[in-house]
């Protein structure tokens, strides 16, 4: 699997933040940062969804990444 980063909403061709990172995997997710983000979120629905979904699914939901096979 590859992580496709979507860190902002700008549609810029060759944007570094949107490039597929070869040889990356879900093991590359910084879980401390991931958990800190959700600790700071004031959206209870999103926090509850975090408990039901995998980190890979949540990154896709919040537009912070997606998994490609």
């Amino acid at each position: 699997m590859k992580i496709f980063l979507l860190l902002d909403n700008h549609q810029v061709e060759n944007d570094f933040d949107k490039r597929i990172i070869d040889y990356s995997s879900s093991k590359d997710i910084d879980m401390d940062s991931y958990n800190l983000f959700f600790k700071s979120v004031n959206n209870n629905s999103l926090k509850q969804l975090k408990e039901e979904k995998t980190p890979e699914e949540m990154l896709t939901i919040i537009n912070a990444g997606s998994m490609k096979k």
Side-chain angles (χ1 to χ4, degrees), residues 8-59:
D8 58 42
N9 292 326
H10 300 293
Q11 296 292 330
V12 178
E13 194 169 323
N14 296 323
D15 188 341
F16 176 79
D17 291 338
K18 295 181 181 179
R19 291 184 188 162
I20 294 175
I21 302 172
D22 291 329
Y23 309 109
S24 62
S25 73
S26 58
K27 293 178 185 176
D28 295 318
I29 298 169
D30 181 345
M31 293 307 293
D32 290 336
S33 296
Y34 175 82
N35 290 321
L36 182 61
F37 171 80
F38 283 100
K39 185 177 181 179
S40 68
V41 167
N42 290 325
N43 183 321
N44 288 331
S45 297
L46 195 57
K47 286 183 178 184
Q48 182 174 347
L49 192 58
K50 176 187 175 267
E51 301 304 317
E52 301 169 6
K53 302 289 184 181
T54 66
E56 297 86 359
E57 292 170 319
M58 287 306 299
L59 290 176

